Amino acid sequence: MTTASPVRRDLANAPLLAAARGLGPARTPVWFMRQAGRSLPEYRKLREGTPMLRACFTPDMVVEVTMQPIRRHGVDAAIFFSDIVVPLKAAGIDLDIVPGTGPVVAKPVRDEKAVRELPELDLANLDPIAEAVGLLVKELGDVPLIGFAGAPFTLASYLIEGGPSKHHERTKALMKAEPEVWHALLARIADYTLDFLKVQLDAGVDAVQLFDSWAGALSEKDYREYVLPHSQRVLAGLAFAGVPRIHFGVGTAELLPAMREAGADVVGVDWRLPLDEAVRRLEAAAPDAPKPVVQGNLDPAMLFAGWDVIEREVRRIHAEGKAAAGHIFNLGHGVMPETDPTMLTRVVELVHSLS
C-alpha cells in the first residue's frame, strides 16, 4: 500500500483547502453534502434505468454526476460521487441499495463466525474508483475534489442490522455483549475504508471526508471505547497524503471533541449546534490544540422555507463561523431530494458575497 504522498494538483490557494488549514481564504468556501445527486433533474435523467451501485462503478457516470453541481451551483469543491457501502460491495459482500429503503445486506453479520468469513478486499475491484478520480482531476481544473467514505461504525451498523435502523438495537447489543467480536468487525471494516480512501488519494483527491452518519446514536463514553480507535486508525492511515481530513456525523454535538481527537482537521457540525458553540466546546476540550476549523451547518429543511428565511440563516451561520480558525460553509446534513436547486445556487452566491 502507498506510503508516500502522490503527485497532486497545486491548489494551495483554493478557498476550501485554505479554510481547511485555517489560513484565511479569499472568501468563505461552500459546498453541499449530497450536492451531486437527487435534487438535480440532470442527475435523475442520467440515472434513469441505472441502479445506484452500478452507477458508482461506472467511471464516466461518476464523473458526470460529480461535475453537475460544479457547473450548476459554482460550489468551491466537488464531492466524489459514491455511496458508503461501495467498499463493502467491492469486497464481495452481498448487498444492494434498494430505492426507498437504502442499503440492504443479504446475510447480516451478527456473530464471530460471520466476522471471520468477511472477505479480503481485492484492490483490483476498486480500479473503476481510481479511474473516475483520475478523470475528475483532469476535468475539475482548479476546483478541489473531496474523497468520500463511510466510517467503521456506520458501516458496521448496516452490516449488523441488515439495513437502515432507527434504534441500532442489534448493533448496540453486539457492541456491549461481545466486544471482542465487535472490535474484530470494526477492524475489518476499517481495512476496507482505508483501502477505499487510499485508492482515491493515490488517484489525486485533494481532501477527504469520513462520514459517521449514525455515530450520534452513541454516548460519548461508548463512542470513545467502541468507535474512536477504529476511526482514528482510518484517519491516521491517511496522513501520508497531507490533505485535509474532514470528519462528520449526524446528531454528534456531544461527540465533537472526541471526533476531532480521532484525527479530524475539520470538524463537521450538523444543524443542532451553533458553530460558535461548537468551537467553544472544541477549544474547551483541547485548550492547547490549534484553534479548530469547522464545517456546516445550515439545516437542509430551511431550503424549503423561502428566501427571506434562508438568507437570514445563512448570514447567522456565516457570522458564527468566524469563531473558528476556518469555516467551510455547508449544510448540517445532505441535500434533500425535493430541494429546489435554485436555492442552492443562491446560497452559494450569498456566501461568496459575504466578507
Side-chain angles (χ1 to χ4, degrees):
M1 187 59 68
T2 300
T3 56
S5 178
V7 176
R8 66 184 73 251
R9 296 174 295 166
D10 181 7
L11 300 179
N13 294 325
L16 179 124
L17 299 178
R21 295 184 169 107
L23 298 179
R27 64 171 186 254
T28 300
V30 53
W31 70 279
F32 305 110
M33 287 179 279
R34 292 185 185 151
Q35 67 186 16
R38 301 169 296 176
S39 68
L40 299 182
E42 55 265 43
Y43 167 81
R44 294 193 292 270
K45 182 177 180 181
L46 181 69
R47 275 281 317 282
E48 281 180 5
T50 303
M52 177 64 176
L53 284 172
R54 186 189 303 168
C56 292
F57 284 93
T58 304
D60 289 348
M61 187 170 285
V62 170
V63 171
E64 174 59 22
V65 174
T66 303
M67 292 298 301
Q68 285 173 351
I70 305 300
R71 302 187 196 112
R72 181 184 271 264
H73 303 312
V75 285
D76 292 291
I79 178 72
F80 183 69
F81 175 71
S82 189
D83 189 90
I84 61 173
V85 299
V86 162
L88 303 182
K89 186 70 173 181
I93 294 170
D94 188 359
L95 59 83
D96 197 10
I97 298 176
V98 178
T101 299
V104 175
V105 179
K107 294 182 178 180
V109 178
R110 294 173 180 167
D111 56 34
E112 183 180 3
K113 179 175 181 292
V115 172
R116 286 200 313 268
E117 291 176 350
L118 286 172
E120 298 272 348
L121 197 165
D122 182 348
L123 293 181
N125 293 337
L126 294 176
D127 285 350
I129 306 304
E131 180 182 348
V133 171
L135 292 169
L136 277 164
V137 166
K138 293 177 183 177
E139 187 153 343
L140 279 165
D142 59 0
V143 177
L145 176 61
I146 303 172
F148 166 95
F153 174 79
T154 292
L155 292 179
S157 179
Y158 281 117
L159 285 178
I160 295 165
E161 304 289 344
S165 172
K166 183 179 292 186
H167 302 294
H168 311 280
E169 57 269 28
R170 292 181 181 273
T171 303
K172 293 181 179 182
L174 180 66
M175 184 177 75
K176 290 285 192 172
E178 299 188 66
E180 291 183 2
V181 174
W182 170 264
H183 286 295
L185 172 59
L186 264 71
R188 173 50 61 92
I189 296 173
D191 290 339
Y192 296 156
T193 303
L194 258 176
D195 285 342
F196 186 50
L197 286 170
K198 283 181 175 179
V199 163
Q200 295 174 56
L201 284 165
D202 288 348
V205 300
D206 306 290
V208 294
Q209 176 155 307
L210 189 66
F211 287 79
D212 213 347
S213 306
W214 309 133
L218 299 174
S219 68
E220 182 185 4
K221 178 180 181 298
D222 285 345
Y223 177 86
R224 288 183 176 278
E225 181 174 352
Y226 296 105
V227 177
L228 189 150
H230 303 283
S231 294
Q232 197 167 45
R233 186 162 75 86
V234 171
L235 291 167
L238 308 176
F240 73 91
V243 306
R245 295 162 294 181
I246 308 166
H247 198 14
F248 171 77
V250 182
T252 53
E254 302 305 318
L255 305 181
L256 294 179
M259 294 179 73
R260 189 188 191 196
E261 287 175 36
D265 302 303
V266 180
V267 179
V269 184
D270 79 0
W271 68 91
R272 295 170 176 85
L273 189 70
L275 290 181
D276 51 0
E277 173 60 16
V279 170
R280 188 196 68 76
R281 293 186 186 189
L282 291 165
E283 289 182 322
D288 297 327
K291 196 172 184 67
V293 176
V294 295
Q295 178 178 280
N297 66 342
L298 179 67
D299 186 341
M302 292 301 99
L303 294 170
F304 297 84
W307 181 248
D308 288 348
V309 173
I310 296 170
E311 180 178 5
R312 183 174 68 242
E313 291 296 294
V314 168
R315 290 181 180 276
R316 173 185 63 80
I317 291 163
H318 182 269
E320 292 168 355
K322 292 184 180 297
H327 174 211
I328 299 169
F329 194 99
N330 207 309
L331 302 182
H333 198 201
V335 177
M336 296 181 188
E338 301 82 8
T339 302
D340 178 356
T342 303
M343 293 298 101
L344 294 171
T345 305
R346 293 184 70 181
V347 168
V348 174
E349 293 169 350
L350 176 58
V351 172
H352 285 169
S353 75
L354 300 174
S355 59

